[in-house]
Amino acid sequence: MLKKTFSLSSLKIGDCGRVVDFLIDGDFRRKLLGIGIYPGVRLRILRTGPFGNPVEVLVDDSLFVAVRRREARNILIEPCNEKN
Amino acid sequence: MKRIRVLFAGNPNTGKSTLINRLSGSRIHVSNWTGTTTQKITAIVNYGDYTLELIDLPGVYDFLPTTLEEEIAIREILNNPPDVIVNVVDASHLERDFHITVELTEMGIPMVVVLNMVDEARSRGRDVDTEALSKRLGVPVVATVARTGEGVDRVLEAIMDSRKPVPVVKYDEDIEEAVSQLSSLIDHPSRRWIAVSMLIYDDLDLFPVNDEIKKRARELKKKFEGRDLLLEVEGKRLSFARELARITYVVRENRQTITHKLDRVLLNPFFGSIIMLLLLIFSFRFAFFLSSPWVDFISTVEEVLAGWLASTGMPSLLLSFLVDGIIAGVGTVISFAPVLFLFYMVISFIEQSGILARAAFLMDTFMGAVGLPGKGFVPLIMGFGCNVPAVYATRTLESPRDRLKVAMMIPFMSCSARLPVLVLFASIFFPKNPVPVVLLLYLLGVIVAFITAFLMDRFIKGGTSFSVFELPPYRIPPLRTIIFHSWMRTLDFLRGAGTVILLAVIIVWFMLNFPEPYSEHSLFGLISRSLTGVFSLIGINDWRLIGSLIPGFIAKEVIIGSLAVSYLGAEPIHALGLLEGLKMIVGGFYQAVIQTFASIPAVFGIPRFQVPVSGGPLGQILSSVLDTPSALAYMVFVLLYTPCVATVAALKQEFGKRWAILSIAYQLTVAFLMSFIIYRLAVMIHG
């Protein structure tokens, strides 16, 4: 069954998404992997900064990470559901 | 005495330095990682027949570096393999932190895992089982609360007991084949990690292997073309990290923490910004009100030393050299210390408490407009206090290009040393509204700074910078650590910039005293007069005004003193008897202590702009020598012209001679241009 994937930047406050893949590689992707944002991990949008930027994300119910909306476009997620 | 070298590695903010502090008591040594200005903390501890050398590596998110700090960490492990690695992790989020742990298991070095901050983990409903983890990895595991010392005593024992971890991650067969081929060629305990990394990372110069091996690595890499090898490797590692976390957590709830609740207010764009602003004001006042009694004390000591020397009846030129050269030079250097120390305390607190990250979050959009990350906001704000720690603070930025951009902006943030000059002139020439004038000048500086960043963006090529950062939980940093770090950073500055400043003061002394002391025929006077042609373009014709800008290069507040000496003559040094002098020093010290405590309520008090009187005799002379437009031009020039010597020294240390000199040249140009524009505009308006 095909799951719809969105980018992290399209989520609204309160939404939950599970990371599927990235649209970039290189330093930025390695930074994300190192900070805790990797395929399979659950993200929840907590809030945004002034003018909607940056986005504060709760990662794995454990840590808080800030990502710029423009850069968040490179993180592909699928919606969370009960099972995941 | 057998020596054991221990490296402490882990994610940022896991309390590594607090742990080392706890373990070592007072035998801590701070230096810099060779070739960088990143602080290196080393401690020596004795344990039975052994001497342990504990070294704190910078916190990393990945051993394949994306930042300077990460590069320092991996180079240390690869080029100087330690006897033991202590991996410190934050017990609240093991799934993430164990990523580093898993990488460390591939490095073939005896390890210890420390699960730190178990108290915080407990409060969010997470409990750990050190036995289970220890069994799985085959290494000692200790749970600690480094902040309070809980469990810390068991860490040394664990270090002595450390073992090489049981290999945990296995990749797909073809990857393992390539890894094994490569690692068999490498003579290094971390051969497995190096082999895997060479397959997934492009810059092979990071690895301590010869060209043959690098060639082989490139050949093997070709076999995996079309596959995302990095993601495959990291995928397995991250999977395993989660597995380790599952083993270690006996309870794993998601209770909301205080941090979560506080952030509702502090990260709210409206309330958060107000609170940040108040915090900022409070910090500045703390640093300045509590340090100025000590700066006064240092002047008193200088006065007394001068008095003692005068009483010996030595020739006046020698006296002048010792007093206005040496003593003044050393005094200037030392008088930086109180402000810097308090400033560093504030910054240390802001960094370690988690407040810095929140400020970066709120400022990210604005900073993004000039291509800078939110974190770039902090060095800029610090620049308003003193440019020197601000330049060093650029280290918190990841991209070298960002660091340089911010460093070029900092000198336009009008530091506190410029304020007395601006206030003096404002109160003489704009007696009805000196405060708005000064504030507008500050604003001018900020605007010029942002234009600078914008221009650099356009003309200097560089990679795109990204801005992703963690917001750590709010913590109250231990006072001991703050004081220790601040003191070390202050000493660092005194060592680095001290000689430069002293030298500059002596050079200026020569210029003032030869060939004819304190006159227009001195070197100082000759240089100043030769510049009057240029300065007359902005309405400044008196060589003494121009000349005072020269010592201003050393420290901006010296401009006023220099103007006073030029116009009113040098103050005679009063000879002092030994006892008299001692009384003054003791009295001065007592005064400083009293004043420090007396200033504490003022730190919290209602903001009050002090409007000084019109400057006394100096003020009268200045108002006769300058008209309003040229005074304004002078103020703008002082605001923008060059960074002080200490800042230049800091810039040279962080970015090299080229950029230090460039910043001086750039600022002189900008200062002159702006002064000219403003002078012409003022003349047009005032007539």
Side-chain angles (χ1 to χ4, degrees):
Chain A
M1 185 168 71
L2 273 176
K3 287 239 174 84
K4 265 193 105 170
T5 54
F6 310 83
S7 82
L8 184 64
S9 57
S10 63
L11 290 185
K12 308 254 176 339
I13 295 179
D15 285 351
C16 170
R18 185 176 283 279
V19 180
V20 171
D21 202 352
F22 302 96
L23 290 179
I24 32 75
D25 53 18
D27 280 9
F28 183 43
R29 184 176 66 164
R30 267 188 303 114
K31 182 74 190 274
L32 289 172
L33 294 173
I35 220 174
I37 296 178
Y38 51 83
V41 119
R42 265 168 57 120
L43 307 176
R44 183 177 295 279
I45 312 290
L46 291 179
R47 59 177 56 83
T48 64
F51 305 107
N53 209 16
V55 179
E56 192 194 6
V57 176
L58 176 64
V59 178
D60 202 18
D61 291 308
S62 304
L63 28 109
F64 305 112
V65 175
V67 190
R68 280 192 178 150
R69 199 168 277 282
R70 184 175 26 104
E71 290 160 16
R73 272 191 231 139
N74 294 306
I75 304 171
L76 293 178
I77 49 99
E78 67 187 7
C80 304
N81 56 35
E82 296 307 310
K83 303 240 178 77
N84 66 22
Chain B
M1 265 280 170
K2 189 165 188 251
R3 214 178 170 88
I4 300 182
R5 215 166 137 261
V6 185
L7 291 183
F8 281 65
N11 284 145
N13 287 310
T14 48
K16 285 189 273 85
S17 26
T18 313
L19 183 59
I20 292 183
N21 244 288
R22 277 276 166 192
L23 286 170
S24 67
S26 50
R27 290 179 69 186
I28 290 204
H29 180 244
V30 182
S31 57
N32 288 323
W33 291 97
T34 356
T36 75
T37 43
T38 308
Q39 257 191 358
K40 176 181 184 179
I41 297 180
T42 316
I44 310 280
V45 193
N46 289 322
Y47 192 84
D49 285 332
Y50 298 90
T51 305
L52 278 72
E53 189 189 356
L54 311 177
I55 302 167
D56 190 13
L57 289 180
V60 302
Y61 283 117
D62 191 346
F63 283 113
L64 290 176
T66 61
T67 68
L68 180 66
E69 268 90 34
E70 286 169 351
E71 214 186 302
I72 289 173
I74 190 55
R75 282 191 192 277
E76 186 65 14
I77 296 177
L78 292 179
N79 299 331
N80 276 318
D83 299 305
V84 181
I85 291 185
V86 173
N87 176 215
V88 184
V89 305
D90 185 334
S92 292
H93 35 77
L94 295 177
E95 292 84 357
R96 196 283 296 276
D97 283 34
F98 279 158
H99 182 197
I100 292 290
T101 313
V102 169
E103 273 196 80
L104 286 171
T105 61
E106 294 180 323
M107 292 197 188
I109 294 175
M111 262 174 84
V112 170
V113 178
V114 173
L115 306 177
N116 196 20
M117 302 171 184
V118 287
D119 55 338
E120 284 182 19
R122 250 174 251 141
S123 71
R124 9 164 35 144
R126 296 180 183 186
D127 265 326
V128 297
D129 179 359
T130 57
E131 287 297 307
L133 181 63
S134 181
K135 225 165 126 189
R136 185 63 183 84
L137 282 182
V139 305
V141 177
V142 183
T144 62
V145 181
R147 195 175 44 91
T148 60
E150 187 185 319
V152 170
D153 46 331
R154 281 177 278 130
V155 176
L156 288 178
E157 221 182 286
I159 291 175
M160 299 311 297
D161 217 9
S162 60
R163 277 157 260 152
K164 281 196 208 174
V166 173
V168 287
V169 188
K170 270 218 133 33
Y171 306 110
D172 287 345
E173 230 183 280
D174 46 359
I175 300 177
E176 284 290 346
E177 169 68 37
V179 169
S180 128
Q181 271 193 45
L182 206 50
S183 67
S184 59
L185 300 171
I186 302 172
D187 179 24
H188 192 289
S190 308
R191 56 179 64 84
R192 181 173 166 84
W193 184 86
I194 294 174
V196 175
S197 303
M198 286 182 87
L199 294 174
I200 60 179
Y201 190 64
D202 291 327
D203 183 6
L204 299 182
D205 290 328
L206 181 68
F207 309 104
V209 296
N210 61 40
D211 290 330
E212 287 284 306
I213 298 175
K214 287 181 194 167
K215 207 174 116 192
R216 190 81 186 98
R218 284 190 202 103
E219 285 166 16
L220 286 166
K221 260 166 126 149
K222 284 214 175 72
K223 292 193 185 163
F224 297 100
E225 226 146 77
R227 276 165 74 173
D228 192 342
L229 210 53
L230 188 137
L231 208 53
E232 285 183 46
V233 164
E234 292 292 26
K236 281 265 158 50
R237 285 173 171 168
L238 290 160
S239 244
F240 205 79
R242 293 198 75 85
E243 173 67 19
L244 286 178
R246 205 187 48 76
I247 295 172
T248 314
Y249 278 133
V250 288
V251 183
R252 194 201 189 268
E253 290 168 11
N254 297 323
R255 275 188 234 156
Q256 256 198 18
T257 55
I258 301 176
T259 299
H260 204 138
K261 294 180 195 145
L262 276 174
D263 272 341
R264 287 214 190 101
V265 180
L266 273 105
L267 284 182
N268 175 296
F270 182 65
F271 290 112
S273 306
I274 292 181
I275 293 175
M276 289 294 163
L277 196 65
L278 288 174
L279 232 87
L280 203 74
I281 295 174
F282 170 83
S283 312
F284 274 49
R285 294 167 129 216
F286 174 79
F288 292 114
F289 292 2
L290 296 187
S291 63
S292 56
W294 297 97
V295 176
D296 291 339
F297 174 63
I298 292 169
S299 306
T300 307
V301 173
E302 279 181 64
E303 222 183 289
V304 169
L305 288 174
W308 284 343
L309 287 176
S311 68
T312 63
M314 62 173 72
S316 66
L317 192 67
L318 180 60
L319 182 65
S320 172
F321 176 69
L322 289 175
V323 171
D324 294 326
I326 307 282
I327 293 179
V330 174
T332 307
V333 175
I334 297 180
S335 50
F336 270 98
V339 179
L340 282 185
F341 177 66
L342 289 177
F343 228 111
Y344 280 131
M345 276 185 72
V346 168
I347 294 147
S348 229
F349 179 78
I350 290 179
E351 277 177 329
Q352 294 180 46
S353 61
I355 292 178
L356 175 66
R358 272 76 188 173
F361 186 83
L362 292 172
M363 290 304 296
D364 199 65
T365 309
F366 302 104
M367 298 304 296
V370 282
L372 286 170
K375 277 196 266 185
F377 169 73
V378 178
L380 291 178
I381 289 295
M382 283 170 61
F384 282 119
C386 179
N387 290 163
V388 179
V391 170
Y392 291 119
T394 56
R395 287 180 213 164
T396 55
L397 296 167
E398 278 137 3
S399 130
R401 190 165 163 259
D402 289 344
R403 283 202 290 270
L404 187 65
K405 263 162 87 170
V406 175
M408 290 291 117
M409 290 168 79
I410 287 169
F412 294 114
M413 301 298 172
S414 180
C415 73
S416 60
R418 280 169 248 203
L419 193 57
V421 185
L422 300 177
V423 166
L424 175 69
F425 277 75
S427 56
I428 297 169
F429 294 95
F430 302 93
K432 295 230 178 72
N433 38 20
V435 172
V437 171
V438 175
L439 286 178
L440 281 172
L441 285 170
Y442 267 70
L443 189 63
L444 178 65
V446 173
I447 293 174
V448 173
F450 276 83
I451 292 177
T452 306
F454 180 73
L455 290 173
M456 282 184 78
D457 229 358
R458 280 304 174 91
F459 293 110
I460 297 176
K461 280 189 193 78
T464 36
S465 68
F466 47 86
S467 172
V468 56
F469 57 94
E470 206 181 327
L471 285 90
Y474 288 113
R475 292 178 179 134
I476 301 180
L479 190 64
R480 212 173 102 174
T481 334
I482 294 185
I483 291 181
F484 176 72
H485 278 157
S486 309
W487 182 238
M488 285 300 148
R489 279 155 141 174
T490 308
L491 284 182
D492 239 350
F493 164 79
L494 292 178
R495 266 192 295 255
T499 27
V500 179
I501 296 174
L502 182 58
L503 207 67
V505 170
I506 291 176
I507 291 175
V508 171
W509 180 86
F510 264 100
M511 288 173 61
L512 278 167
N513 282 280
F514 292 95
E516 203 186 283
Y518 290 101
S519 78
E520 51 181 8
H521 298 293
S522 64
L523 203 57
F524 176 85
L526 288 169
I527 294 179
S528 312
R529 283 190 301 152
S530 68
L531 292 170
T532 41
V534 175
F535 277 85
S536 61
L537 288 174
I538 57 173
I540 296 168
N541 300 299
D542 190 324
W543 67 272
R544 283 163 288 195
L545 280 163
I546 300 167
S548 298
L549 295 171
I550 300 174
F553 177 59
I554 296 172
K556 298 291 189 307
E557 61 263 41
V558 173
I559 293 177
I560 295 187
S562 179
L563 285 170
V565 167
S566 299
Y567 284 107
L568 303 171
E571 271 199 36
I573 304 167
H574 301 286
L576 278 177
L578 189 62
L579 204 60
E580 226 185 315
L582 279 173
K583 274 205 279 190
M584 277 178 75
I585 291 181
V586 172
F589 184 80
Y590 178 71
Q591 263 290 83
V593 173
I594 301 279
Q595 268 301 105
T596 307
F597 284 103
S599 310
I600 294 177
V603 175
F604 296 93
I606 308 159
R608 207 177 8 108
F609 286 113
Q610 280 198 300
V611 183
V613 281
S614 53
L618 182 60
Q620 289 174 323
I621 296 184
L622 286 173
S623 51
S624 66
V625 182
L626 287 170
D627 57 3
T628 308
S630 45
L632 196 58
Y634 192 74
M635 288 163 81
V636 170
F637 196 83
V638 167
L639 179 83
L640 302 172
Y641 79 113
T642 76
C644 68
V645 148
T647 308
V648 175
L651 285 171
K652 173 168 167 285
Q653 240 194 323
E654 295 283 311
F655 302 98
K657 224 185 275 186
R658 206 175 60 142
W659 285 103
I661 295 176
L662 197 73
S663 84
I664 297 175
Y666 175 65
Q667 279 187 254
L668 279 171
T669 314
V670 170
F672 201 80
L673 210 69
M674 291 305 309
S675 305
F676 183 72
I677 293 172
I678 295 203
Y679 178 66
R680 288 289 157 202
L681 281 172
V683 166
M684 272 201 291
I685 297 172
H686 274 252

